[in-house]
């Protein structure tokens, strides 16, 4: 029997030029998490990182990150094989929903001195350090595609999108990089 192999939608792609690099993020476990206030502490303990309670913030510990993207919603990401879904589903307090989205989503890093200019070619957010500091995250758009944007460092961003939009987002970013 032939076993199907998972391929990355941006496999073998790399862009570097004009002070910016766009590179695919490796496979990760990804979870969409919705929870009430009573469940937040237990869910954070289960995955080893506190769920942020402040708007547009992210917490990271031991390569697992939780991003606040709505009043009762978090995007949780960790290395492939982390078992996020299983760990979260063992929690017994509060009401919550865990949806694995590792096969639906993919990501890319946008980094370099011109990363903000490239992102602003398709994203309406103010990405200055004052308005969007390190560890800030938000659900927004890139061109016509919904993304999650997360500032990892002054000149490094993580862009998450649906796998089906990844080629569009990739082309948008790399075309913007060529034009700056």
């Amino acid at each position: 029997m032939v076993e199907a192999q998972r391929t990355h939608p941006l496999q073998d792609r790399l862009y570097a030029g004009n002070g910016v690099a766009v590179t695919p993020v490796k496979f990760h476990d990804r979870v969409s998490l919705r929870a009430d206030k009573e469940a937040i502490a237990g869910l954070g303990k289960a995955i080893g990182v506190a769920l942020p309670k402040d708007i547009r913030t992210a917490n990271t510990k031991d390569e697992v990150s939780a991003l606040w993207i709505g009043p009762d919603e978090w995007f949780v990401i960790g290395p492939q094989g982390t078992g996020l879904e299983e760990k979260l589903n063992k929690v017994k307090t509060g009401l919550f929903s865990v949806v694995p989205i590792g096969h639906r989503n993919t990501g890319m890093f946008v980094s370099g001195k011109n990363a903000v200019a490239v992102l602003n070619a398709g994203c309406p957010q103010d990405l200055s350090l004052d308005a969007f500091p390190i560890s800030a995250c938000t659900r927004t758009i890139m061109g016509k595609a919904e993304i999650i944007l997360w500032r990892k460092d002054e000149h490094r961003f993580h862009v998450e999108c649906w796998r089906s939009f990844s080629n569009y987002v990739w082309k948008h970013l790399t075309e913007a990089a060529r034009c700056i």
Side-chain angles (χ1 to χ4, degrees), residues 15-180:
Y15 176 86
N18 290 341
V20 69
V22 183
T23 56
V25 173
K26 294 179 183 177
F27 288 123
H28 276 73
D29 288 346
R30 294 168 168 92
V31 173
S32 174
L33 176 64
R34 304 289 302 255
D36 68 8
K37 291 178 183 178
E38 289 76 34
I40 292 173
L43 292 166
K45 186 176 180 182
I47 58 172
V49 62
L51 299 181
K53 296 178 184 173
D54 295 326
I55 187 171
R56 296 177 18 163
T57 58
N59 289 336
T60 300
K61 185 174 181 189
D62 298 330
E63 297 187 78
V64 174
S65 300
L67 288 68
W68 186 97
I69 56 172
D72 64 351
E73 185 177 5
W74 293 265
F75 173 76
V76 182
I77 185 169
Q80 189 172 16
T82 308
L84 296 173
E85 178 185 8
E86 294 81 12
K87 290 175 183 178
L88 291 165
N89 278 324
K90 288 181 181 178
V91 174
K92 302 295 183 202
T93 57
L95 298 173
F96 60 92
S97 167
V98 177
V99 179
I101 57 173
H103 286 77
R104 180 193 78 185
N105 275 41
T106 194
M108 54 203 90
F109 292 117
V110 180
S111 57
K113 66 179 182 169
N114 290 326
V116 169
V118 167
L119 290 163
N120 275 150
C123 176
Q125 296 283 318
D126 179 355
L127 298 179
S128 67
L129 270 172
D130 290 335
F132 202 74
I134 295 168
S135 290
C137 58
T138 189
R139 181 180 292 149
T140 186
I141 58 170
M142 173 58 59
K144 295 182 179 183
E146 180 182 299
I147 65 168
I148 294 174
L149 182 61
W150 176 21
R151 186 176 223 142
K152 304 277 286 180
D153 205 336
E154 182 177 358
H155 300 291
R156 187 168 191 231
F157 295 82
H158 182 137
V159 176
E160 278 285 319
C161 65
W162 283 23
R163 201 179 154 94
S164 57
F165 291 109
S166 62
N167 190 51
Y168 170 83
V169 172
W170 179 273
K171 287 181 177 181
H172 201 291
L173 291 168
T174 56
E175 185 62 27
R178 286 183 187 94
C179 294
I180 58 170

